[in-house]
């Protein structure tokens, strides 16, 4: 998780893709910083919204990195994987592509682990429901015996 901190703090606006006016730069910087504050407060959905708005203005992939980190932090691995794939398409360097591929594999593993836990919990709940007698069953059987 330390590398996530590095991405948030040290790679805020990498890989510029278009020229921006000073006003656009200021707005994008505000969106980035507001997203950081929201992320630190674990307001992941609001942080993602800020960073998406910043990305739409600037086209800078640092926003996408932070979006993926927030998606991962809230457990939305499918969305994080999709965002990292978008980053992979935009990556210019082999080293960055290798890092992103590793991140995707890590996200897929977390997603698989979560799916396994969900299935285990569903199975456990189903078994508990089968074992525990239903409260209405005795009353229904007694009333049917009276007739």
């Amino acid at each position: 998780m330390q590398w996530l901190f590095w991405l948030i703090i040290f790679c805020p606006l990498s890989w510029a893709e278009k020229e921006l006016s000073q006003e656009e730069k200021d707005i994008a910087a505000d969106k980035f910083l507001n997203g950081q504050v929201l992320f630190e407060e674990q307001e992941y959905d609001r942080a993602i919204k800020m960073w998406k708005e910043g990305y739409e203005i600037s086209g800078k992939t640092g926003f996408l990195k932070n979006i993926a980190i927030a998606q991962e932090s809230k457990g939305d691995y499918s969305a994080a994987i999709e965002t990292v794939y978008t980053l992979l398409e935009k990556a210019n360097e082999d080293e960055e592509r290798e890092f992103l591929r590793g991140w995707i594999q890590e996200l897929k593993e977390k997603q698989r682990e979560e799916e396994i836990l969900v299935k285990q919990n569903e199975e456990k709940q189903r078994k508990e429901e089968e074992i525990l007698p239903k409260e209405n069953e005795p009353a229904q059987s007694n009333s049917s015996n009276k007739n």
Side-chain angles (χ1 to χ4, degrees):
M1 194 76 145
Q2 280 184 316
W3 60 271
L4 296 179
F5 176 78
W6 179 83
L7 284 173
I8 293 171
I9 301 302
F10 298 107
C11 295
L13 300 172
S14 61
W15 299 335
E17 295 183 4
K18 61 182 179 180
E19 287 294 318
L20 303 174
S21 69
Q22 188 57 48
E23 182 181 2
E24 289 171 319
K25 288 177 185 178
D26 292 343
I27 293 170
D30 285 344
K31 298 284 183 187
F32 181 80
L33 294 174
N34 288 333
Q36 272 190 303
V37 169
L38 291 165
F39 180 86
E40 290 169 6
E41 294 172 352
Q42 297 182 350
E43 294 284 340
Y44 301 125
D45 290 328
R46 293 175 61 203
I48 289 166
K49 183 177 186 267
M50 279 290 144
W51 288 328
K52 283 183 177 181
E53 291 172 4
Y55 179 70
E56 288 173 14
I57 293 166
S58 70
K60 296 187 179 190
T61 57
F63 286 103
L64 292 177
K65 288 179 182 179
N66 288 345
I67 291 166
I69 291 166
Q71 291 165 330
E72 178 179 9
S73 295
K74 71 179 224 166
D76 189 351
Y77 300 118
S78 295
I81 290 167
E82 184 176 321
T83 302
V84 178
Y85 271 121
T86 301
L87 278 166
L88 186 60
E89 292 171 4
K90 297 177 180 295
N92 296 325
E93 299 175 16
D94 289 340
E95 187 175 311
E96 184 71 13
R97 283 190 206 97
E98 184 178 329
F99 170 80
L100 293 170
R101 285 185 193 105
W103 190 4
I104 289 168
Q105 291 307 311
E106 188 177 307
L107 289 167
K108 287 181 177 182
E109 182 60 34
K110 286 181 179 183
Q111 186 177 38
R112 279 190 292 274
E113 289 171 4
E114 184 176 286
E115 289 169 356
I116 289 168
L117 285 174
V118 167
K119 286 180 183 178
Q120 287 174 343
N121 286 337
E122 288 172 351
E123 181 66 20
K124 180 180 175 184
Q125 186 176 11
R126 187 184 62 75
K127 286 180 180 180
E128 288 174 356
E129 289 172 358
E130 289 175 356
I131 293 172
L132 296 175
K134 295 183 181 174
E135 293 179 17
N136 294 335
E137 283 183 11
Q140 289 174 353
S141 63
N142 287 341
S143 63
S144 63
N145 289 339
K146 289 180 181 180
N147 291 331

